[in-house]
Amino acid sequence: MEKKVKLIITDLDQTLLKGDKSISQYTLDIIKKCKEQGINIAIATARSERAAKRYIDLIKPDIVISNGGALAKHNGEVIYRSMLSPLVSEALIKDCVLHTDIGEVTVETEMGYFSNSPNLLKNGVDYDHAIYNTYEESLDCETFKITVEAFNNKAALELATKYSECSFLAYSGEPWCRFAHKNATKDYAIIKLAEHLNTDLSQVAAFGDDYNDIDMLKTCGYGVAVSNAIEEVRQVATHITYSNEEDGVARFIQENFLL
């Protein structure tokens, strides 16, 4: 493979991170070598910056694409932002709270991360910044995403279709769905970042495992699926590497992109 990659983008959960949410020293060393060779490193995650903070601190990426593509920053500078309007956000939150097929409702905003579950630590320490909110009063702000515990994905999808600016995404292997602006996607953010960096998409490599990584992999010159990825991701990938438990991202980078 010709070594011409200028930007490497990786998802976090089940891609770069192992099942226990750790990052191996080997992977961190490979990322460091990429930077030494002038390759930009980006993470592209469904998490917010706050929920990804400990990984951002470890990796020190040049670029952070967070909230599933709703926000993209290069060295701290906002390059792209796509949020649901206050009006749509308020109406959708009310719909979710009142729906019998939806449990916990979380809302990511610039003001903070809110949840209507009294057990704020049930989603792990990465979400210990959550603020309890019953949503009885309007948040009155734009939202990066509204993520819900859905007992019926079809019912949740029907809610999204009520709002023309809204998109819907179900995550694999867990009963959670995300509502966001229709342009809040990883691939759209990557296109904007590539323009900002004056980098051709053929010189970009992306790694992923789940539904929200499909268009990202299709957009980039190298779309690499970890072997534990869902079948839909594997089908669109240009390459398949080892699993997240086997440092698949780092091994592929070392074997194909480092001098």
Side-chain angles (χ1 to χ4, degrees):
M1 186 182 299
E2 189 176 351
K3 299 175 176 63
K4 58 178 182 179
V5 167
K6 292 185 177 180
L7 171 61
I8 292 173
I9 305 167
T10 179
D11 176 48
L12 286 179
D13 293 284
Q14 299 302 315
T15 301
L16 190 72
L17 305 185
K18 295 181 183 293
D20 62 1
K21 307 299 182 184
S22 66
I23 304 177
S24 72
Q25 187 59 51
Y26 166 68
T27 290
L28 292 174
D29 289 343
I30 291 298
I31 289 172
K32 182 179 178 182
K33 288 180 180 179
C34 288
K35 295 177 183 179
E36 291 171 349
Q37 295 187 19
I39 301 173
N40 283 309
I41 296 295
I43 61 169
T45 177
R47 295 170 179 248
S48 68
E49 284 186 272
R50 285 176 288 243
K53 184 181 184 304
R54 62 169 167 151
Y55 307 112
I56 293 171
D57 290 345
L58 277 172
I59 299 166
K60 296 178 176 59
D62 305 284
I63 294 161
V64 176
I65 300 171
S66 60
N67 294 300
L71 181 65
K73 293 182 179 181
H74 176 223
N75 292 330
E77 176 189 359
V78 175
I79 304 302
Y80 181 69
R81 185 197 313 262
S82 181
M83 303 176 75
L84 288 173
S85 67
L87 186 64
V88 169
S89 297
E90 180 180 359
L92 184 52
I93 290 168
K94 286 182 178 178
D95 282 344
C96 291
V97 169
L98 294 173
H99 205 293
T100 56
D101 284 321
I102 289 177
E104 182 180 0
V105 178
T106 71
V107 183
E108 191 72 54
T109 76
E110 290 186 321
M111 298 186 302
Y113 171 69
F114 302 95
S115 169
N116 63 350
S117 170
N119 183 6
L120 295 176
L121 293 178
K122 79 175 200 177
N123 295 318
V125 295
D126 289 333
Y127 297 88
D128 62 2
H129 56 282
I131 303 166
Y132 179 64
N133 194 318
T134 62
Y135 309 120
E136 292 178 3
E137 294 185 11
S138 171
L139 294 175
D140 192 26
C141 66
E142 293 180 302
T143 58
F144 288 113
K145 61 180 179 179
I146 299 167
T147 309
V148 303
E149 184 181 24
F151 308 126
N152 182 332
N153 281 1
K154 183 179 179 181
L157 174 59
E158 289 174 354
L159 289 181
T161 59
K162 292 175 59 177
Y163 306 98
S164 60
E165 73 178 65
C166 186
S167 66
F168 171 85
L169 173 72
Y171 298 109
S172 66
E174 54 184 346
W176 287 89
C177 301
R178 187 210 71 171
F179 302 99
H181 193 279
K182 60 186 177 183
N183 293 330
T185 61
K186 292 182 181 182
D187 58 297
Y188 205 94
I190 288 167
I191 291 170
K192 295 298 184 182
L193 282 164
E195 292 174 357
H196 173 74
L197 296 170
N198 195 27
T199 297
D200 194 277
L201 289 168
S202 65
Q203 299 174 307
V204 180
F207 296 81
D209 76 296
D210 207 347
Y211 290 113
N212 62 336
D213 299 318
I214 290 175
D215 288 337
M216 174 175 76
L217 267 60
K218 291 166 66 176
T219 295
C220 299
Y222 302 92
V224 188
V226 285
S227 63
N228 54 287
I230 61 173
E231 182 59 28
E232 291 86 346
V233 173
R234 292 165 56 89
Q235 287 179 356
V236 303
T238 59
H239 302 82
I240 297 176
T241 186
Y242 296 94
S243 74
N244 64 317
E245 297 292 352
E246 302 169 296
D247 293 311
V249 173
R251 291 172 70 174
F252 191 90
I253 292 171
Q254 183 178 35
E255 294 170 5
N256 296 282
F257 301 142
L258 292 182
L259 300 176

